[in-house]
Amino acid sequence: MSRTAQNYEFQQWWNKQRHSFLDSADDNPPSSAAASSSSSSSSLAVDLTSSPTATTKGHHTRSARQLSWLWLLRFHKLTASVAWLTDSSISLLRTANRRISNHHRSPSAYSSSRLNKIIRLFLILVLLLLFLELLAYRRGWHFTPPSVESAEALVERLYAKWLEIRADYLAPPLQYLANVCIVLFLIQSLDRAVLMLGCFWIKFRKLKPIPPVSYAAPDVEAAENYYPMVLVQIPMCNEREVYQQSIAAVCIQDWPRERMLVQVLDDSDDPDTQVLIKGEVQKWQQKGVQIVYRHRFVRTGYKAGNLRSAMSCDYLKDYEFVAIFDADFQPAPDFLKKTIPYFKGNDELGLVQTRWAFVNKDENLLTRLQNINLSFHFEVEQQVNGIFINFFGFNGTAGVWRIKALEDCGGWLDRTTVEDMDVAVRAHLSGWKFIYLNDVKCLCELPESYAAYKKQQHRWHSGPMQLFRLCFVDVLRSKLSVGKKANLILLFFLLRKLILPFYSFTLFCIILPLTMFLPEAELPAWVVCYVPGLMSILNILPAPRSFPFIVPYLLFENTMSVTKFNAMISGLFRLGSSYEWIVTKKLGRSSEADLIVLAEKESDPLVLESSGIHRSSSESGLDNLNKLEASKKTVKRKRNRLYRKELSLAFILLTAAARSLLTAQGIHFYFLLFQGISFLVVGLDLIGEQVS
């Protein structure tokens, strides 16, 4: 009886092993003793397995059927995924082919920039080095490097000589340059970490400026002395898409009409746009708003010249403060009531800057990545500098200046393309203090096309270098403390405006690809992956909803380094178009009706009644809107374009990624591969607004 039970247990074990390992085991029983059992015992084992094994067999039959359906479902999903990837790849290739075939080079494109020529020569060099390494790999020299003495063939001797030159003369200076960039990278990373600690401290201690007074509900009799005279300026140039919303947002400010004057400073050279803006101004004049229209026939000095010309008007002598809004900015109705109180009793305060909020931050991938950058700028950089040292760069808009501070530092100058930073630095050298309000937000637009964003970044990174050359001696001669001078020169200008674009482009776009072909010089994995990843996490903390885009953000920041580096060099040495001032293109994502709804939600009904703002007020603007739509038809057709520097760098990085496969450098390969794809996407203008 015990023998029968043993055979039954053995048969159960054998069935489990056979079905779990399929055909991995032999068909014969693993034990010779079991195989040599008597025929009676064997027949007994068969009889015993006839009943329980039948259910087991039926169970496995059903499992096999279920597994077949499961694998069929997985195969269907895999087929659908492959079809989607194939369709997307074909669509992408067609788009790229169409962009390449329709690419029209501008007349200035034939005289390409110095940087573009250098990058092309670098690409040719990298391709030659890859060909040489593939030849060496094919002949086995990669595993057993030949020497000059033992080499027999001419090609082998040349490769051996190249190895000596590479190890003795090329790798040491490259490694030295890499070490310098690593040190700069760590210093800049430390600066970011310190700024984040300062931001955490502000949040933990709940530090923020406190206004000495409030404009909540003053007595009507005290209005004459209670509300100061405020000038509001809206500089614009050919802003046909956004002029209505900016003018409307300013005109519905919750401020006494007799204490506020609006200047619309139109530098448009398009007659149709001038007519539209002038008509909008007249519409608000009929509603009782003190608003004037100014147009310059000679556009000298761009935005700075426009503001300087407007400040020279005689009727502004009684005004104490000036609020400035670019054409795409839409301040809330209580903007002045939230900013002007900070000037009361603080005669040293020259500027109150507010935060930007973006109406189109989720429009496409480009706007999402911009939102990450600017969220860190306002939440961390501006707030920390405003709380601890009372100085930061004026953002050019959404701020209120004390007119006396502007006059004291020399007013608006057009010597650089960053007139806002220029006037802020000169006001700081004159002893004026700044306040940043992180909880007061002003709606605006982000550029949705890569062409507009690239021009904006070029101006933002070439201008600071122009200003640094002009004001370096003034900073040294100023009466500021040694600490503030060091902060202004070392941190504000050198580290954040010069070193950041220099090392990001040099380290990740030049040195890293070269180390694949000069393996004697190397970049550690923590420089390529871990520290940049950590810094990206810190940068994205102020915009936590953007965490899914952390990898595209890291790659895109490195991709933009070529534009920022080129702008920094051109501004520092006055090369190329460093003094070209191009207005950032806006699309007008908000309408006047949106602003009226916003005013109804955030303002008291009495404010709307006193301002004469009703929904019917937009009816008079319908004619202008119709004119605007009609005039849009005559606008020159937009098209996506190709960017040659980005495409050249894409091929350089992809070539270096192919070379890294020969030495099996995992992290370096993946970084070069994805970074090369990022450059390729940007070079083909596949990021941002797509024009069909």
Side-chain angles (χ1 to χ4, degrees):
M1 190 69 178
S2 60
R3 178 74 172 175
T4 303
Q6 290 177 2
N7 284 334
Y8 173 64
E9 292 176 359
F10 174 80
Q11 188 66 32
Q12 279 189 324
W13 174 84
W14 172 249
N15 288 334
K16 290 181 180 179
Q17 294 296 320
R18 183 166 57 88
H19 285 290
S20 60
F21 293 99
L22 299 177
D23 296 330
S24 60
D26 294 334
D27 293 332
N28 297 325
S31 173
S32 60
S36 61
S37 58
S38 62
S39 59
S40 60
S41 301
S42 301
S43 61
L44 182 60
V46 172
D47 294 338
L48 286 170
T49 57
S50 61
S51 58
T53 310
T55 58
T56 306
K57 182 178 180 181
H59 172 72
H60 283 288
T61 302
R62 290 192 299 272
S63 298
R65 187 180 299 112
Q66 294 173 356
L67 285 174
S68 64
W69 282 104
L70 179 61
W71 282 108
L72 183 62
L73 179 62
R74 290 181 177 178
F75 178 75
H76 176 72
K77 291 182 177 180
L78 178 62
T79 305
S81 300
V82 171
W84 179 83
L85 288 174
T86 304
D87 184 63
S88 301
S89 301
I90 293 175
S91 177
L92 182 63
L93 290 175
R94 286 177 178 175
T95 303
N97 182 52
R98 186 170 60 253
R99 300 256 169 99
I100 295 173
S101 60
N102 294 335
H103 178 58
H104 297 282
R105 301 176 67 180
S106 60
S108 61
Y110 292 96
S111 56
S112 56
S113 64
R114 295 182 179 89
L115 181 60
N116 194 22
K117 292 179 179 179
I118 294 174
I119 292 176
R120 286 185 176 184
L121 291 176
F122 186 39
L123 174 60
I124 296 174
L125 174 63
V126 166
L127 291 174
L128 291 176
L129 291 177
L130 178 63
F131 175 77
L132 180 62
E133 293 297 333
L134 289 176
L135 179 63
Y137 190 84
R138 180 179 178 84
R139 299 200 175 190
W141 300 339
H142 182 75
F143 303 100
T144 55
S147 61
V148 179
E149 295 78 10
S150 62
E152 298 179 357
L154 176 61
V155 178
E156 189 175 3
R157 285 198 298 272
L158 291 176
Y159 183 75
K161 192 64 177 177
W162 158 249
L163 292 180
E164 291 185 359
I165 296 174
R166 189 177 76 180
D168 297 337
Y169 301 102
L170 298 181
L174 180 63
Q175 186 66 60
Y176 177 78
L177 180 60
N179 294 337
V180 171
C181 289
I182 290 174
V183 172
L184 297 178
F185 175 42
L186 294 178
I187 294 175
Q188 197 272 336
S189 301
L190 179 62
D191 175 60
R192 288 291 174 105
V194 171
L195 287 174
M196 282 301 304
L197 290 177
C199 184
F200 288 146
W201 181 255
I202 291 173
K203 298 294 184 183
F204 176 72
R205 297 299 300 270
K206 297 180 179 180
L207 303 176
K208 65 177 184 178
I210 300 176
V213 297
S214 176
Y215 289 109
D219 296 333
V220 179
E221 294 78 6
E224 184 69 24
N225 298 324
Y226 198 79
Y227 289 96
M229 299 286 286
V230 178
L231 171 68
V232 182
Q233 295 179 328
I234 312 176
M236 57 180 62
C237 179
N238 297 323
E239 312 276 3
R240 65 170 61 230
E241 291 83 4
V242 293
Y243 73 95
Q244 275 191 317
Q245 61 196 44
S246 60
I247 294 176
V250 168
C251 289
I252 64 174
Q253 283 296 305
D254 185 9
W255 201 259
R257 292 186 177 181
E258 66 277 3
R259 312 294 291 178
M260 182 181 73
L261 173 66
V262 181
Q263 281 185 326
V264 178
L265 312 178
D266 183 22
D267 258 4
S268 303
D269 54 7
D270 179 23
D272 294 335
T273 304
Q274 296 175 22
V275 172
L276 291 174
I277 298 175
K278 190 179 299 183
E280 185 72 12
V281 170
Q282 291 174 355
K283 182 186 75 173
W284 287 100
Q285 286 175 344
Q286 295 173 1
K287 297 175 183 179
V289 178
Q290 293 192 74
I291 180 172
V292 296
Y293 173 85
R294 283 180 55 87
H295 176 72
R296 296 191 305 160
F297 294 99
V298 181
R299 288 180 54 203
T300 57
Y302 301 107
K303 181 181 177 181
N306 197 2
L307 293 172
R308 182 176 63 246
S309 175
M311 292 300 296
S312 63
C313 297
D314 294 334
Y315 56 80
L316 300 181
K317 60 182 180 180
D318 295 329
Y319 287 85
E320 188 176 356
F321 305 104
V322 54
I324 303 173
F325 301 101
D326 283 350
D328 60 313
F329 277 73
Q330 308 150 33
D334 57 352
F335 180 88
L336 293 179
K337 283 192 172 182
K338 288 184 176 180
T339 53
I340 298 296
Y342 292 91
F343 290 96
K344 289 289 186 178
N346 191 355
D347 296 336
E348 296 181 346
L349 182 62
L351 168 67
V352 174
Q353 174 71 57
T354 62
R355 181 170 179 167
W356 298 359
F358 310 106
V359 297
N360 61 337
K361 62 181 179 181
D362 297 325
E363 187 66 26
N364 53 46
L365 179 60
L366 179 61
T367 57
R368 292 177 185 272
L369 300 180
Q370 293 179 68
N371 179 58
I372 296 174
N373 249 341
L374 292 173
S375 295
F376 181 86
H377 170 69
F378 285 106
E379 184 83 19
V380 180
E381 291 180 339
Q382 298 290 76
Q383 186 171 208
V384 170
N385 290 327
I387 290 292
F388 293 107
I389 61 177
N390 296 120
F391 168 72
F392 46 82
F394 175 46
N395 295 115
T397 178
V400 181
W401 277 95
R402 189 189 296 271
I403 294 180
K404 183 180 178 181
L406 289 176
E407 295 173 348
D408 187 37
C409 66
W412 297 101
L413 301 179
D414 57 358
R415 56 181 183 172
T416 69
T417 58
V418 283
E419 71 292 326
D420 45 10
M421 184 183 294
D422 188 359
V423 71
V425 170
R426 287 184 283 112
H428 181 55
L429 297 180
S430 300
W432 293 97
K433 296 182 179 180
F434 304 162
I435 284 180
Y436 171 73
L437 303 180
N438 192 58
D439 54 349
V440 180
K441 299 180 180 180
C442 189
L443 295 177
C444 64
E445 284 190 26
L446 292 166
E448 297 182 11
S449 67
Y450 180 70
Y453 179 65
K454 184 175 181 179
K455 292 176 182 177
Q456 181 195 68
Q457 293 300 305
H458 187 277
R459 176 165 56 87
W460 285 4
H461 286 81
S462 64
M465 292 297 97
Q466 303 166 9
L467 181 60
F468 178 66
R469 287 188 298 99
L470 296 172
C471 71
F472 178 73
V473 177
D474 295 334
V475 174
L476 296 179
R477 294 176 178 176
S478 67
K479 298 180 181 179
L480 295 178
S481 63
V482 177
K484 290 186 176 181
K485 289 181 181 179
N487 171 75
L488 195 58
I489 295 176
L490 299 179
L491 295 181
F492 185 78
F493 279 115
L494 291 181
L495 183 60
R496 297 167 189 165
K497 302 297 188 297
L498 189 149
I499 291 177
L500 176 58
F502 170 77
Y503 86 76
S504 58
F505 172 73
T506 307
L507 189 62
F508 297 110
C509 300
I510 301 298
I511 295 178
L512 179 58
L514 278 178
T515 56
M516 298 298 102
F517 299 96
L518 306 177
E520 292 82 3
E522 61 178 0
L523 284 180
W526 57 269
V527 175
V528 177
C529 179
Y530 304 130
V531 176
L534 179 60
M535 289 299 103
S536 298
I537 294 176
L538 292 181
N539 290 348
I540 213 170
L541 285 179
R545 290 181 54 193
S546 302
F547 260 100
F549 303 95
I550 185 169
V551 174
Y553 169 73
L554 172 61
L555 298 175
F556 183 69
E557 281 300 290
N558 291 334
T559 305
M560 285 303 300
S561 64
V562 59
T563 298
K564 298 176 181 179
F565 177 82
N566 186 30
M568 182 267 294
I569 293 297
S570 63
L572 188 62
F573 298 103
R574 292 182 288 184
L575 304 175
S577 59
S578 60
Y579 285 91
E580 186 179 8
W581 212 106
I582 301 176
V583 178
T584 304
K585 185 66 176 177
K586 293 97 176 178
L587 299 178
R589 288 296 175 186
S590 297
S591 64
E592 181 183 356
D594 299 328
L595 295 169
I596 294 173
V597 172
L598 179 64
E600 291 176 349
K601 289 181 178 180
E602 299 189 3
S603 299
D604 189 78
L606 295 177
V607 175
L608 296 176
E609 184 178 355
S610 62
S611 302
I613 308 301
H614 304 282
R615 288 198 175 272
S616 60
S617 64
S618 61
E619 295 176 359
S620 60
L622 291 178
D623 294 336
N624 286 339
L625 282 175
N626 293 332
K627 294 178 183 178
L628 175 63
E629 294 300 329
S631 61
K632 281 183 179 179
K633 298 179 182 179
T634 62
V635 177
K636 184 179 179 181
R637 182 182 177 184
K638 296 185 298 182
R639 65 171 71 239
N640 293 99
R641 52 171 298 184
L642 300 178
Y643 299 95
R644 291 172 295 161
K645 286 194 289 290
E646 285 79 357
L647 289 175
S648 299
L649 284 169
F651 293 126
I652 290 173
L653 294 172
L654 293 176
T655 303
R659 170 63 180 87
S660 67
L661 287 176
L662 302 180
T663 52
Q665 300 188 39
I667 292 180
H668 296 72
F669 166 73
Y670 287 114
F671 181 87
L672 289 167
L673 175 64
F674 290 116
Q675 191 64 68
I677 295 175
S678 176
F679 269 101
L680 187 63
V681 169
V682 173
L684 294 174
D685 201 5
L686 296 174
I687 188 172
E689 181 188 21
Q690 299 299 302
V691 182
S692 59

